[in-house]
Amino acid sequence: MTKPLSGLEVARQIGERFPDAVTGSDETAIFVHSEALLKVAHFLKESLDLDYLTSITAVDFFDHVELVYHLTSIEKNYSVVLKTRCEKDKKMDSVVGLWQGADFQEREVYDLMGISFEGHPNLKRLFLWQGFQGHPLRKDYPLDVPGGWKEK
Amino acid sequence: MAIKTEPVMINLGPQHPSTHGVFRMRVTFDGEVIVDMEPIFGYLHRGIEKLAESKTYLQNIPYTDRLDYVAAMSNNLAYVLAVEKLAGIAVPERAEYLRVIMAELMRIASHLIAVGALLNDMGAFFTPLMYMFREREKILDLFEMVCGQRLTYNYMRFGGVSHDIPEEFTPALERFIDEMPRFIDEYDQLLAENEIVLARIKGVGVLPADKAINASVSGPVLRASGVKWDIRRADPYSVYDRFDFEIPTGKMGDIYDRYWVRIQEMRQSVRIIEQAMAQLPQGEVRTRVPALLQPPKGEAYARIEAPKGELGFYLVSDGSPKPYRFKVRAPSLLNLTVLRDLVIGWKLADAVVIFGSIDVCMGEVDR
């Protein structure tokens, strides 16, 4: 059984190393500052052997976007959920340097949610064509465009 | 005297028989050797993640069928597991066993396509694929018996499955289980003892284990590189912890190993189905769940070992009948991360086979 590590315990370990990085934590997840994300991710990968990036998800909460990183250690079989609050007009640090698996996922987040990643080697839209206007997964994306879907 | 050459760019796809759907590779050649490759996605992008936010939880089950349409049953399972985790729904024991049987049948059916299409890519045009389709047809017949559908099943429900198995299902499945190991031996003889096939796939497209882990590769491609990581064993869901099965792993991670792992996994799936049929308890197949399900506020991530790798659903609920966020962790997309590194240095014909050996379904890649 993959053991989900307690967010409180991991947050304490991060806090010892980077006192200002953690903004909150509960049993399931750790919340970190968006500026500190890259160094915390690096710390988790090196010290906790979280060698496998399961997924990156962006969730739009109108005033900000929450980025959710699911991390797994294949060798030790445990998992950690790392979350960060990201302002919509701010740039995030890319984690492609740590996990190559972030490559397409960050491009997907950029394409559909409009979050830019600094340090990504090839940040282009993944699914939609270059020149497409807007980011469809955002909650404020208008659906009543010509040819678009309308609720009856 | 050195002859001045220029790299040539060739578009492979989106409409190409070897790309298993609408996938485009922009390949740059130096002579015959690939020096660069850029994958281009999105030709099958239907915006399922956005669409799902405007449908209720129950209405979204058929959409999951359309993700990986070669293995629709597995998508159903992953999605209902996520919703059950979110809403805290218990599942009757008989339904758990039926889910396992269907998921393993689906794995055999998907691997049959993977292996058959791989040979198709190597130039054995459609004959081996038709051998595989012979058995896949029997599996589709079994699915048709339980849910009336042959491609998009819509079979799993929150708290169980939609129908119990009919009377004629058990004898048909037993006959299939009886015959299948012999057919798998037949494929193996036809292919793994064929020198031309071996020359094309041994030592080609090698993926080292550390690179596979770093690039979030999962499923048979990861195991072919020698990493013993199978969600069914590492993080058991449903009733997988009650079965005895092995996790085949490859040695070096070339195309042959990926092919071999899939053949062995089919044998293990047959074993799991045999055990599940023997243990299948009587009883209900579905708990009562309101049609307009309103899970409490929160989030859930559930994952399964789908035929192509780790398939996960991340759902965020705001307490309304519709999901606030519906994210699919698609194994096909993430397995393609390594494609560029695998094909560089090989020739065009090898690139086609390497792509085929990763076994992707574009419905899942583009969503």
Side-chain angles (χ1 to χ4, degrees), chain A residues 86-103:
Chain A
C86 171
E87 305 305 324
K88 281 183 176 172
D89 50 350
K90 274 222 181 125
K91 280 197 168 185
M92 283 296 300
D93 286 324
S94 166
V95 295
V96 177
L98 297 172
W99 297 283
Q100 200 198 347
D103 187 346

Side-chain angles (χ1 to χ4, degrees), chain B residues 228-239:
Chain B
K228 212 168 181 156
W229 179 258
D230 189 318
I231 312 284
R232 290 176 292 173
R233 183 62 57 76
D235 191 9
Y237 50 93
S238 200
V239 286

Side-chain angles (χ1 to χ4, degrees), chain B residues 195-212:
Chain B
E195 265 187 50
I196 303 172
V197 171
L198 290 186
R200 288 290 304 277
I201 62 180
K202 278 245 180 190
V204 179
V206 176
L207 177 64
D210 54 339
K211 191 170 175 55

Side-chain angles (χ1 to χ4, degrees), chain A residues 30-151:
Chain A
I30 309 137
F31 297 83
V32 295
H33 268 298
S34 56
E35 290 90 20
L37 179 86
L38 187 61
K39 60 184 184 187
V40 169
H42 189 263
F43 170 73
L44 288 177
K45 189 189 173 197
E46 296 303 322
S47 67
L48 286 174
D49 285 328
L50 292 159
D51 47 5
Y52 192 85
L53 175 70
T54 307
S55 79
I56 302 177
T57 311
V59 189
D60 186 4
F61 287 107
F62 292 99
D63 58 332
H64 69 281
V65 170
E66 189 177 81
L67 284 172
V68 186
Y69 294 76
H70 285 87
L71 306 169
T72 310
S73 168
I74 291 219
E75 194 188 322
K76 304 194 172 143
N77 201 1
Y78 51 59
S79 63
V80 167
V81 181
L82 190 65
K83 290 184 182 180
T84 183
R85 184 194 157 102
C86 171
E87 305 305 324
K88 281 183 176 172
D89 50 350
K90 274 222 181 125
K91 280 197 168 185
M92 283 296 300
D93 286 324
S94 166
V95 295
V96 177
L98 297 172
W99 297 283
Q100 200 198 347
D103 187 346
F104 290 162
Q105 306 195 59
E106 284 181 352
R107 278 178 67 187
E108 187 187 338
V109 171
Y110 168 70
D111 186 358
L112 303 176
M113 208 59 109
I115 303 293
S116 297
F117 290 90
E118 213 160 347
H120 191 288
N122 181 26
L123 193 69
K124 290 200 291 191
R125 283 185 183 269
L126 186 67
F127 295 140
L128 301 166
W129 57 95
Q130 322 301 327
F132 185 90
Q133 294 295 313
H135 304 284
L137 267 186
R138 283 197 177 173
K139 290 283 176 188
D140 54 8
Y141 184 78
L143 290 170
D144 53 345
V145 290
W149 177 82
K150 265 185 199 144
E151 190 140 22

Side-chain angles (χ1 to χ4, degrees), chain B residues 138-174:
Chain B
K138 290 172 189 161
I139 297 174
L140 297 190
D141 286 345
L142 288 169
F143 287 152
E144 196 178 1
M145 280 180 206
V146 295
C147 61
Q149 297 290 328
R150 294 171 62 83
L151 187 70
T152 50
Y153 308 109
N154 191 14
Y155 180 58
M156 310 281 175
R157 290 289 187 281
F158 311 133
V161 293
S162 71
H163 299 83
D164 202 345
I165 46 174
E167 264 173 40
E168 65 268 26
F169 180 84
T170 316
L173 180 60
E174 274 165 1

Side-chain angles (χ1 to χ4, degrees), chain B residues 35-330:
Chain B
V35 290
D36 195 14
M37 193 283 286
E38 189 191 359
I40 295 162
F41 307 95
Y43 293 95
L44 203 59
H45 180 63
R46 297 151 291 175
I48 284 187
E49 290 185 6
K50 182 76 177 176
L51 204 52
E53 289 173 7
S54 62
K55 300 268 176 275
T56 65
Y57 285 92
L58 189 65
Q59 284 172 332
N60 279 328
I61 298 179
Y63 279 114
T64 62
D65 284 327
R66 274 93 182 150
L67 291 169
D68 179 358
Y69 41 77
V70 179
M73 215 50 116
S74 310
N75 302 338
N76 277 187
L77 177 58
Y79 175 60
V80 298
L81 282 177
V83 175
E84 280 160 9
K85 205 169 169 182
L86 194 62
I89 300 166
V91 183
E93 191 133 307
R94 185 176 172 84
E96 294 273 31
Y97 277 90
L98 291 181
R99 284 179 177 185
V100 168
I101 293 171
M102 300 308 160
E104 292 308 314
L105 282 173
M106 198 76 255
R107 188 183 316 278
I108 298 176
S110 174
H111 283 356
L112 284 173
I113 294 243
V115 173
L118 176 68
L119 289 146
N120 207 14
D121 291 342
M122 270 187 276
F125 204 61
F126 273 114
T127 311
L129 190 62
M130 283 300 137
Y131 273 82
M132 315 293 170
F133 265 73
R134 184 183 58 191
E135 272 66 62
R136 186 177 154 91
E137 191 67 18
K138 290 172 189 161
I139 297 174
L140 297 190
D141 286 345
L142 288 169
F143 287 152
E144 196 178 1
M145 280 180 206
V146 295
C147 61
Q149 297 290 328
R150 294 171 62 83
L151 187 70
T152 50
Y153 308 109
N154 191 14
Y155 180 58
M156 310 281 175
R157 290 289 187 281
F158 311 133
V161 293
S162 71
H163 299 83
D164 202 345
I165 46 174
E167 264 173 40
E168 65 268 26
F169 180 84
T170 316
L173 180 60
E174 274 165 1
R175 206 162 49 243
F176 173 77
I177 292 298
D178 214 34
E179 294 169 351
M180 195 58 200
R182 227 175 50 242
F183 286 127
I184 301 175
D185 291 341
E186 190 185 44
Y187 310 143
D188 216 16
Q189 268 170 16
L190 278 172
L191 311 172
E193 291 173 16
N194 181 331
E195 265 187 50
I196 303 172
V197 171
L198 290 186
R200 288 290 304 277
I201 62 180
K202 278 245 180 190
V204 179
V206 176
L207 177 64
D210 54 339
K211 191 170 175 55
I213 293 174
N214 194 256
S216 300
V217 168
S218 56
V221 186
L222 179 65
R223 289 191 286 279
S225 297
V227 184
K228 212 168 181 156
W229 179 258
D230 189 318
I231 312 284
R232 290 176 292 173
R233 183 62 57 76
D235 191 9
Y237 50 93
S238 200
V239 286
Y240 272 106
D241 46 350
R242 300 183 194 172
F243 305 118
D244 176 34
F245 63 98
E246 282 157 31
I247 302 170
T249 50
K251 289 185 188 72
M252 59 188 287
D254 56 358
I255 300 177
Y256 175 79
D257 279 349
R258 274 168 235 150
Y259 154 80
W260 184 85
V261 162
R262 290 200 178 99
I263 290 279
Q264 300 305 320
E265 279 188 9
M266 282 196 252
R267 296 188 206 276
Q268 298 303 325
S269 292
V270 171
R271 273 181 70 191
I272 295 175
I273 298 170
E274 264 176 353
Q275 295 170 46
M277 287 302 284
Q279 297 175 18
L280 184 66
Q282 294 298 322
E284 289 287 302
V285 295
R286 204 173 156 188
T287 44
R288 291 189 76 82
V289 174
L292 201 67
L293 183 70
Q294 284 173 296
K297 266 190 188 180
E299 57 182 56
Y301 179 75
R303 56 184 182 172
I304 68 160
E305 185 69 34
K308 294 180 174 65
E310 177 181 338
L311 174 66
F313 278 83
Y314 181 74
L315 300 175
V316 179
S317 162
D318 58 351
S320 73
K322 297 170 182 175
Y324 186 77
R325 178 80 169 90
F326 176 98
K327 146 97 185 178
V328 189
R329 191 262 186 215

